[in-house]
Amino acid sequence: MQKTCLITGASRGIGYETAKGLGHQGHKVYITARNSQKGQEAAQKLSQEGIQARFIELDITDPQSIVRARTQLAQHEEKLDVLINNAGIMIDSIFTPDKVSFEDFSSTLSTNTTGPYFLIQEFMPLLAKSADARVINMSSDLGAMTQASDPQSRFDAVLAPGYRISKAALNMVTLIYAKHFRDTDISICSCSPGWCQTSLDPHIDSSKAPNTAIDGAQTPIWLASEANKADINGQFFYKKSTINW
């Protein structure tokens, strides 16, 4: 059955590869980006591969932009089956907690946590019209409390204070909504793509990261289209398996 999917921050990287993967499965994809030109070019590129793709301009940090995006989607679709909160930023990867600016910290929380929270809220009426709606929050291992509290963790040396806090908070967004959706046809989960070869981090060269953007897209694609819905609500995934919060 064809699903209608909306993926934020999908003009490049993991978001783009997620849209591409779902599109090649026959699903309809709506990709969003702040940059209209880049978003339109990405949608056109997907369309040239035979994918049903449309672009919707969205600044996840702007409440009015979120409302406009929902209004625009509703002009074309009666329901939304899959919402993937992929848009995110990492701008403090090399900073210790005492060196992160108020502006960078606030911007990180606004993009990675506040925006997804209110995007879910705004799109909830369209999600509620689906018999199998799924919300997937793109989080990170770096937001896992289990990892952060373990001095032997392979992530112990990683800094990125604002980013890690924002992803830990995004995981709580998942759990809060999972409780709210418990007796509905909507499920929600978090997933980590792992460290991927993308342009997310402006300070660290990710060309030697162990995962490609295509690799990072595999779990959200699976969660959106193949995973058993009953098994994913309120869970945290990495490489198609659950991990500790």
Side-chain angles (χ1 to χ4, degrees):
M1 181 180 70
Q2 186 186 59
K3 295 185 177 186
T4 299
C5 312
L6 186 141
I7 304 101
T8 67
S11 64
R12 61 183 183 177
I14 296 170
Y16 178 82
E17 296 298 341
T18 300
K20 183 177 178 179
L22 289 170
H24 279 308
Q25 288 182 355
H27 303 300
K28 192 184 303 183
V29 295
Y30 287 81
I31 66 170
T32 82
R34 286 180 296 180
N35 186 304
S36 180
Q37 180 178 345
K38 290 182 179 179
Q40 290 172 351
E41 289 174 352
Q44 183 178 15
K45 188 176 177 181
L46 291 171
S47 296
Q48 289 171 349
E49 294 193 25
I51 293 171
Q52 287 184 266
R54 285 178 180 267
F55 168 68
I56 294 178
E57 186 175 347
L58 171 64
D59 179 352
I60 197 72
T61 67
D62 180 357
Q64 293 306 312
S65 181
I66 291 174
V67 172
R68 287 194 297 271
R70 189 264 304 155
T71 300
Q72 189 173 343
L73 180 67
Q75 292 174 348
H76 300 284
E77 306 292 341
E78 295 182 356
K79 63 179 175 63
L80 178 62
D81 300 300
V82 177
L83 171 60
I84 301 179
N85 276 312
N86 170 75
I89 60 172
M90 177 192 264
I91 53 179
D92 62 352
S93 63
I94 62 173
F95 299 116
T96 54
D98 57 320
K99 300 299 182 182
V100 177
S101 70
F102 183 92
E103 290 76 14
D104 283 353
F105 187 87
S106 298
S107 179
T108 299
L109 267 290
S110 180
T111 303
N112 295 356
T113 310
T114 308
Y117 181 95
F118 286 102
L119 193 73
I120 296 167
Q121 187 184 86
E122 184 66 30
F123 280 80
M124 207 180 300
L126 287 172
L127 290 163
K129 293 180 180 179
S130 171
D132 179 13
R134 303 178 183 213
V135 180
I136 300 159
N137 287 332
M138 294 296 287
S139 184
S140 171
D141 300 60
L142 297 177
M145 294 291 190
T146 302
Q147 301 273 17
S149 60
D150 179 7
Q152 302 304 315
S153 166
R154 60 194 174 103
F155 301 117
D156 187 61
V158 178
L159 298 174
Y163 180 81
R164 299 189 74 164
I165 290 169
S166 73
K167 292 302 185 178
L170 181 63
N171 285 342
M172 183 56 72
V173 170
T174 296
L175 292 173
I176 291 294
Y177 272 114
K179 180 180 179 181
H180 184 67
F181 294 151
R182 196 174 290 158
D183 298 317
T184 74
D185 290 324
I186 306 173
S187 61
I188 184 171
C189 62
S190 287
C191 76
S192 171
W195 187 26
C196 297
Q197 299 164 20
T198 69
S199 57
L200 172 68
D201 187 344
H203 301 292
I204 295 177
D205 179 12
S206 67
S207 62
K208 295 182 180 180
N211 302 304
T212 66
I214 294 174
D215 295 330
Q218 296 313 299
T219 296
I221 291 170
W222 173 75
L223 289 167
S225 61
E226 301 172 37
N228 187 337
K229 180 185 175 184
D231 297 333
I232 67 175
N233 193 51
Q235 300 296 319
F236 190 10
F237 291 87
Y238 174 63
K239 292 190 174 180
K240 302 182 183 180
S241 296
T242 56
I243 59 175
N244 293 325
W245 293 102

